[in-house]
Amino acid sequence: MNTILKNLGAVLVILGVLCLVIYYFWVPSNALLTSSLVLEVAGILAYIFINRYVE
């Protein structure tokens, strides 16, 4: 369970990048930009805090 939890931040960042790729190539929508921003910030913060407190 800890290995899945440690990779949660990286998965959120990858999902944010995927939203940006979808925005760039297929659907130019502000909702995709907003969701990618939220996913990127949440992923970075999750990566920092989870890896600090989970061993």
Side-chain angles (χ1 to χ4, degrees), residues 16-36:
V17 170
L18 183 64
C19 285
L20 287 174
V21 168
I22 291 170
Y23 170 80
Y24 184 76
F25 286 112
W26 291 290
V27 184
S29 168
N30 286 336
L32 280 173
L33 287 177
T34 305
S35 63
S36 68

Side-chain angles (χ1 to χ4, degrees), residues 5-16 35-51:
L5 193 59
K6 282 191 170 206
N7 293 327
L8 178 66
V11 170
L12 289 175
V13 170
I14 290 171
L15 286 175
S35 63
S36 68
L37 173 70
V38 169
L39 286 170
E40 293 282 334
V41 170
I44 291 170
L45 290 176
Y47 186 80
I48 291 170
F49 289 119
I50 288 173
N51 285 322

